[in-house]
Amino acid sequence: DAKHLVPNKMRDFFCTINLDQEEVFRTQVVEKSLSPYFGEEFYFEIPRTFQWLSFYIYDKSVLQKDLRIGKVSIKKEDLCNYTGKENWFMLQPVDSNSEVQGKVHLELKLNELITDNGSVCQQLVVHIKECHGLPLINGQNCDPYATVSLVGPSRNDQKKTKVKKKTSNPQFNETFYFEVTRSSSYTKKSQFQVEEEDIEKLEVRVDLWNNGNLVQDIFLGEIKVPVKVLRNDSFQAWYLLQPRENGNKSSKTDDLGSLRLNICYTEDYVLPSEYYASLRNLLLKSSDVQPISASAAYVLSEVCRDKYDAVLPLVRLLLHHHKLVPFVAAVAELDLKDTQEANTVFRGNSLATRCVDEMMKIVGKHYLKVTLKPVIDEICESPKPCEIDPIKLREGDNVEINMENLRYYVDKVFREIVRSSISCPTLMCDVFYSLRHLAAKRFPNDPHVQYSAVSSFVFLRFFAVAVVSPHTFHLRPHHPDAQTSRTLTLISKAIQTLGSWGSLTKSKLSSFKEMFMCEFFKTFQEEKFTESVKKFLDDVSSTESKEPSGLSEPVHLKEGEMYKRAQGRTRIGKKNFKKRWFCLTSREFTYHKQQDKEPIFTIPIKNILAVEKLDESSFNKKNMFQVLHGEKPLYIQANNCVEASEWIEALCRVTRCNQKRLSFYHPSAFLNGSWLCCKATLESTVGCARCTAADTQIEIDGDRETERIYSLFTINMSKLQKLEEACGSIAVYQGPRKEPDDYSNFTIEDSVATFHTIKQIIDVVEKLNESHEKYRKKRSSSAKYGSE
């Protein structure tokens, strides 16, 4: 959220997230506010290098261009200082001179020349090689050029490169010569002795500009290098472009308002796969360790401050290697040991419940979309009033009508859920089967516990959560508005209650916190709801395979506006780029002139042969990818790098089992009679690069997840050592514990087995530390930057 924004009157605000100057996310507009609450969460993989993560607050305008009120920019290197906690940031003024990104590659040299009359002159040679990562201007690549100046107290010699058209990575390769000083006489001693007062004050300045043609040129950044650093040697380096020093100093920075952010940023360097063999094996055999609390995976959850940090990579790694079900069963059994009452089974935030939650998010995405997306769309797009709380009723609302509306929606959502068991992924069924039987074994005298063990996950922690926050599960692109959000909350409460119906009796209706919900549920006291839930829970906790070979209705997976290059199917048709609405379902990939119009072009999913990035050089456009199918490749430009990455991932995922996938492709386009990448002149020539996703069966990178786990062990090494000491002291001293505080937070069932595991973890982590250190040294010796 933000507060005290200027101008000091109620306005409509929205916020954007930018990588450097590329917008990757935009919140909904909050109307008529000075302190807007956005409350939106955006998780994304960063598909390219960047310097700044920036947040811009805009004042929405209907007729004119949206006005940028202010920004918060955090340098990539500083993100770790703010990660995992909320911070208020003062908004900074947005000034074109400070909107800078990219870097420039320079070679600088001082030459000594002897003139015809025998005197010595110092000559400065500036070779401007190339730039990388210049910003997009109005969403398009810029037309950059550079000015190179030698600046001193009494001189300003300036030269200029040629303009490079439509590129963010211009190759200049131009050399400029400047006369520096001229001494009055030449002797051998004077070699490279330049007059002190001159050299101390001279600097090379390189300014990058976007050529505006008919409008004013736009400043893109500058660098300054003092000539005195060049005395002994030629100097070649990459320099990060900087804002102008005089950029808008007069603006006050304390009167624009402030923005509250919660940022979580992680960055890992993934080594080749063989480096992780020892740690990976240690983690994968966790489910076989007795007791489970002595396993490497369990120890990881014990030493992490937030169990969630450990759960994310752990579940993905175990899932990738088909080891998740036995591990979940083992930690669930440990969880049940501490559960005293049957009606509290799996209600806490333990390692077992967190692992099942994360598994359902990964494995159940498609299942949720099949089951809930159509009805959630209906509720959000044509909402009916559903408020039944007498205190919150608006003037003119009829509580009976609202209750009917709510009942209609609840019936519809409930019906979709209980008849969806055929679509429930097999892995989810296997986990539910284990949980059901473990709970029944722990509480043999309670007939309901086998159902509540499953319903506590599938209803309470999966469907009910997805209903109340559909944007988090990608069922909707944004937060619903306040009224719809309230409707979804009421539906979610109802679904939770209906899901746990088997363990409720009519006499327990009085246990509802809100009287109005109690009244509402009196209309649900029917046997059929109990039977439907029971049958559904029986089905989804069965070990038989539930995934159908094909769904009767296509599932809507992703949609959005992008640009596509005309396919040139007619001889006279111009091959320009046009804005189109793209739609991906489980059955086909289509584009339309506008949203909700009939498709102009359709590619059946089974016909897609590959989906790959397209080199920027093909059309001088960023964020391009290609869909290879029976006809010519379809070339598409996404609006930003994150969106491009998400579309490629979604298309790869839905086509990964296609029979005729290509193994090779052309990374560039076929233009003017040849492929730009390999120069082959036949359009039908087999691709020159191996497809990146040719063998993709599951979208989890096991090495990356293992690297994340290694990082977590490294960060929490002190806790690991403390746990090791605790195990040692328990094993040696078997009497009453005198100082339990040192290890009372840890679960230590078998101190000897746990001690052995921790020793193995520490050894493995130390070896990986050495490998990472070697990489860091190699990287720092090969990288040469002129500026940070």
Side-chain angles (χ1 to χ4, degrees):
D1 56 353
K3 64 182 180 185
H4 309 317
L5 299 179
V6 295
N8 295 318
K9 55 182 177 181
M10 297 295 195
R11 301 301 280 266
D12 301 341
F13 293 107
F14 65 92
C15 182
T16 67
I17 303 177
N18 295 50
L19 286 174
D20 297 321
Q21 288 178 60
E22 183 181 12
E23 183 184 314
V24 295
F25 179 73
R26 179 177 289 215
T27 68
Q28 283 195 306
V29 177
V30 177
E31 296 178 349
K32 303 289 178 284
S33 176
L34 271 177
S35 297
Y37 178 77
F38 301 108
E40 296 202 38
E41 195 170 282
F42 182 53
Y43 168 84
F44 63 105
E45 302 284 331
I46 297 175
R48 62 170 178 83
T49 56
F50 70 104
Q51 291 176 48
W52 299 87
L53 179 68
S54 299
F55 302 82
Y56 291 83
I57 294 280
Y58 283 84
D59 177 1
K60 179 76 180 166
S61 175
V62 179
L63 301 174
Q64 300 171 322
K65 193 177 173 184
D66 298 331
L67 177 68
R68 287 195 288 196
I69 299 296
K71 68 173 180 178
V72 171
S73 287
I74 305 169
K75 210 171 184 179
K76 179 186 170 185
E77 292 76 16
D78 297 333
L79 280 170
C80 55
N81 301 332
Y82 303 106
T83 193
K85 51 193 180 212
E86 286 189 359
N87 291 279
W88 279 101
F89 295 88
M90 299 298 293
L91 289 174
Q92 303 300 315
V94 181
D95 160 48
S96 60
N97 290 338
S98 69
E99 296 292 278
V100 166
Q101 69 179 65
K103 56 187 179 180
V104 58
H105 193 186
L106 286 186
E107 185 176 8
L108 304 167
K109 197 161 46 171
L110 265 180
N111 286 339
E112 188 175 71
L113 302 177
I114 302 173
T115 59
D116 294 339
N117 62 7
S119 63
V120 176
C121 127
Q122 300 292 338
Q123 185 188 53
L124 173 68
V125 184
V126 181
H127 179 194
I128 179 163
K129 295 187 171 187
E130 59 182 319
C131 289
H132 188 83
L134 296 179
L136 301 177
I137 305 293
N138 298 325
Q140 300 296 319
N141 278 321
C142 53
D143 297 336
Y145 69 89
T147 58
V148 182
S149 312
L150 183 64
V151 182
S154 55
R155 63 189 294 175
N156 188 355
D157 304 340
Q158 189 178 90
K159 302 175 192 292
K160 181 179 164 184
T161 68
K162 291 174 182 166
V163 175
K164 299 293 176 182
K165 291 283 186 184
K166 299 284 176 270
T167 176
S168 294
N169 305 314
Q171 303 278 331
F172 291 113
N173 276 322
E174 294 191 43
T175 306
F176 301 101
Y177 301 91
F178 298 91
E179 186 182 292
V180 180
T181 59
R182 194 187 290 277
S183 57
S184 52
S185 60
Y186 170 69
T187 65
K188 281 187 179 179
K189 276 186 178 181
S190 73
Q191 201 167 16
F192 272 93
Q193 285 180 354
V194 186
E195 293 173 29
E196 287 294 324
E197 63 278 6
D198 283 356
I199 197 87
E200 289 294 330
K201 295 168 187 171
L202 288 177
E203 65 181 12
V204 179
R205 196 177 80 206
V206 178
D207 292 80
L208 266 292
W209 298 85
N210 178 56
N211 182 39
N213 291 325
L214 301 174
V215 295
Q216 192 175 354
D217 292 354
I218 297 171
F219 173 76
L220 300 178
E222 68 177 13
I223 61 141
K224 294 177 181 178
V225 184
V227 174
K228 64 184 177 185
V229 301
L230 309 174
R231 284 179 174 175
N232 304 319
D233 200 3
S234 68
F235 199 78
Q236 184 178 172
W238 281 97
Y239 291 85
L240 295 178
L241 289 167
Q242 303 295 325
R244 277 188 183 144
E245 284 181 4
N246 64 349
N248 213 359
K249 281 185 179 174
S250 60
S251 287
K252 288 182 183 177
T253 57
D254 59 351
D255 58 359
L256 297 175
S258 51
L259 183 66
R260 182 164 55 141
L261 304 168
N262 190 340
I263 300 164
C264 189
Y265 173 75
T266 54
E267 180 182 309
D268 296 306
Y269 176 72
V270 184
L271 296 165
S273 194
E274 60 269 19
Y275 285 88
Y276 299 109
S278 300
L279 180 57
R280 184 168 54 238
N281 293 338
L282 195 58
L283 291 159
L284 293 181
K285 70 179 186 185
S286 290
S287 53
D288 303 324
V289 174
Q290 291 291 337
I292 190 68
S293 59
S295 68
Y298 198 93
V299 167
L300 174 70
S301 73
E302 287 286 274
V303 297
C304 283
R305 186 171 63 87
D306 185 349
K307 269 192 174 57
Y308 189 64
D309 291 341
V311 165
L312 278 166
L314 188 58
V315 167
R316 288 176 191 173
L317 181 71
L318 294 173
L319 199 55
H320 184 57
H321 293 280
H322 312 291
K323 295 278 188 182
L324 184 65
V325 179
F327 179 74
V328 167
V331 291
E333 194 168 13
L334 183 64
D335 205 9
L336 286 166
K337 272 186 194 174
D338 296 331
T339 306
Q340 301 307 315
E341 294 180 40
N343 62 356
T344 61
V345 162
F346 302 129
R347 293 297 174 99
N349 263 335
S350 64
L351 178 60
T353 57
R354 289 282 185 94
C355 283
V356 179
D357 284 351
E358 191 56 33
M359 176 276 295
M360 291 191 299
K361 276 185 194 170
I362 297 169
V363 175
K365 273 184 190 173
H366 187 74
Y367 176 35
L368 269 182
K369 281 188 173 169
V370 177
T371 311
L372 289 184
K373 189 166 182 4
V375 65
I376 295 285
D377 284 344
E378 182 191 331
I379 294 164
C380 292
E381 285 161 19
S382 52
K384 298 176 180 178
C386 294
E387 186 55 74
I388 57 171
D389 182 351
I391 299 168
K392 294 186 177 180
L393 282 174
R394 294 181 181 180
E395 199 175 327
D397 274 1
N398 184 316
V399 75
E400 281 77 23
I401 291 173
N402 287 8
M403 202 174 277
E404 274 178 38
N405 293 338
L406 183 59
R407 176 67 197 253
Y408 166 77
Y409 283 146
V410 170
D411 275 343
K412 195 158 187 177
V413 172
F414 179 80
R415 195 166 58 248
E416 292 298 333
I417 292 171
V418 293
R419 69 181 189 190
S420 72
S421 57
I422 188 71
S423 307
C424 186
T426 308
L427 191 102
M428 282 173 70
C429 295
D430 290 345
V431 169
F432 295 151
Y433 176 81
S434 295
L435 299 177
R436 175 180 179 167
H437 286 274
L438 285 168
K441 184 176 150 192
R442 172 72 177 86
F443 297 101
N445 300 322
D446 190 318
H448 292 306
V449 75
Q450 59 173 320
Y451 294 111
S452 60
V454 178
S455 69
S456 62
F457 287 106
V458 75
F459 276 100
L460 272 66
R461 303 173 83 112
F462 186 58
F463 284 120
V465 177
V467 167
V468 83
S469 54
H471 61 286
T472 309
F473 290 84
H474 306 291
L475 299 175
R476 296 290 297 170
H478 287 293
H479 268 286
D481 60 57
Q483 187 182 330
T484 309
S485 196
R486 173 65 180 160
T487 299
L488 293 172
T489 302
L490 292 169
I491 296 168
S492 177
K493 282 184 178 190
I495 293 302
Q496 286 181 50
T497 307
L498 289 172
S500 57
W501 197 271
S503 60
L504 284 174
T505 61
K506 293 181 183 181
S507 63
K508 285 189 180 176
L509 278 176
S510 57
S511 65
F512 280 111
K513 286 179 189 172
E514 302 107 334
M515 184 53 71
F516 63 87
M517 287 302 283
C518 183
E519 290 298 315
F520 178 61
F521 266 98
K522 283 179 182 172
T523 65
F524 282 87
Q525 291 183 37
E526 299 167 31
E527 194 70 26
K528 66 172 188 178
F529 285 101
T530 314
E531 286 306 309
S532 298
V533 169
K534 187 170 175 291
K535 184 181 180 307
F536 170 73
L537 294 174
D538 277 332
D539 288 346
V540 295
S541 58
S542 157
T543 54
E544 295 168 27
S545 175
K546 295 288 176 191
E547 288 180 287
S549 54
L551 292 155
S552 55
E553 283 298 310
V555 182
H556 191 97
L557 299 171
K558 190 168 175 61
E559 63 180 346
E561 212 167 52
M562 294 189 287
Y563 293 85
K564 64 100 197 171
R565 184 178 186 250
Q567 307 232 57
R569 286 188 291 276
T570 60
R571 283 179 175 271
I572 55 169
K574 277 184 75 180
K575 295 184 183 178
N576 55 352
F577 280 81
K578 291 181 178 172
K579 189 186 283 190
R580 293 288 181 256
W581 185 265
F582 287 81
C583 185
L584 174 65
T585 72
S586 54
R587 198 176 286 170
E588 57 193 21
F589 181 50
T590 56
Y591 61 76
H592 316 240
K593 268 200 173 174
Q594 289 172 331
Q595 191 177 0
D596 302 326
K597 298 281 185 189
E598 288 298 306
I600 309 172
F601 189 68
T602 300
I603 307 172
I605 292 300
K606 65 177 192 283
N607 291 359
I608 295 178
L609 308 174
V611 182
E612 296 287 345
K613 288 182 179 177
L614 186 72
D615 280 356
E616 185 185 321
S617 57
S618 300
F619 302 105
N620 275 329
K621 289 181 185 293
K622 281 182 176 295
N623 308 319
M624 287 206 66
F625 63 95
Q626 51 184 319
V627 179
L628 306 169
H629 57 109
E631 300 179 36
K632 294 173 186 285
L634 174 60
Y635 297 131
I636 301 169
Q637 183 188 25
N639 295 305
N640 60 63
C641 61
V642 171
E643 192 180 89
S645 181
E646 286 176 351
W647 272 104
I648 293 169
E649 187 195 337
L651 282 158
C652 283
R653 196 187 310 136
V654 80
T655 59
R656 68 171 183 250
C657 297
N658 283 3
Q659 301 269 313
K660 298 177 182 176
R661 285 189 68 93
L662 294 176
S663 297
F664 292 89
Y665 78 107
H666 290 284
S668 291
F670 186 82
L671 294 173
N672 304 323
S674 72
W675 289 102
L676 296 179
C677 39
C678 57
K679 309 303 177 197
T681 52
L682 271 178
E683 198 167 358
S684 57
T685 306
V686 174
C688 55
R690 180 167 279 282
C691 286
T692 53
D695 307 313
T696 304
Q697 285 304 309
I698 189 160
E699 69 224 66
I700 293 172
D701 183 340
D703 294 334
R704 177 177 162 178
E705 304 306 337
T706 316
E707 168 61 30
R708 183 91 289 269
I709 291 169
Y710 152 75
S711 297
L712 290 168
F713 275 134
T714 308
I715 293 162
N716 295 291
M717 185 53 79
S718 61
K719 279 192 185 174
L720 203 58
Q721 288 162 344
K722 202 170 182 181
L723 183 54
E724 185 184 34
E725 285 167 22
C727 291
S729 66
I730 294 169
V732 173
Y733 179 68
Q734 296 291 350
R737 299 180 188 182
K738 289 183 179 176
E739 295 175 2
D741 291 349
D742 281 352
Y743 44 83
S744 58
N745 294 330
F746 299 128
T747 303
I748 304 172
E749 287 183 284
D750 184 329
S751 56
V752 177
T754 309
F755 184 89
H756 178 64
T757 299
I758 294 169
K759 190 155 184 7
Q760 287 179 290
I761 293 169
I762 291 172
D763 289 346
V764 166
V765 167
E766 282 173 354
K767 278 184 188 165
L768 275 168
N769 281 342
E770 288 171 20
S771 304
H772 279 82
E773 193 52 43
K774 277 182 190 169
Y775 161 73
R776 272 191 286 270
K777 282 181 180 171
K778 185 180 172 186
R779 188 179 173 192
S780 61
S781 63
S782 62
K784 191 176 182 187
Y785 266 82
S787 57
E788 287 187 7

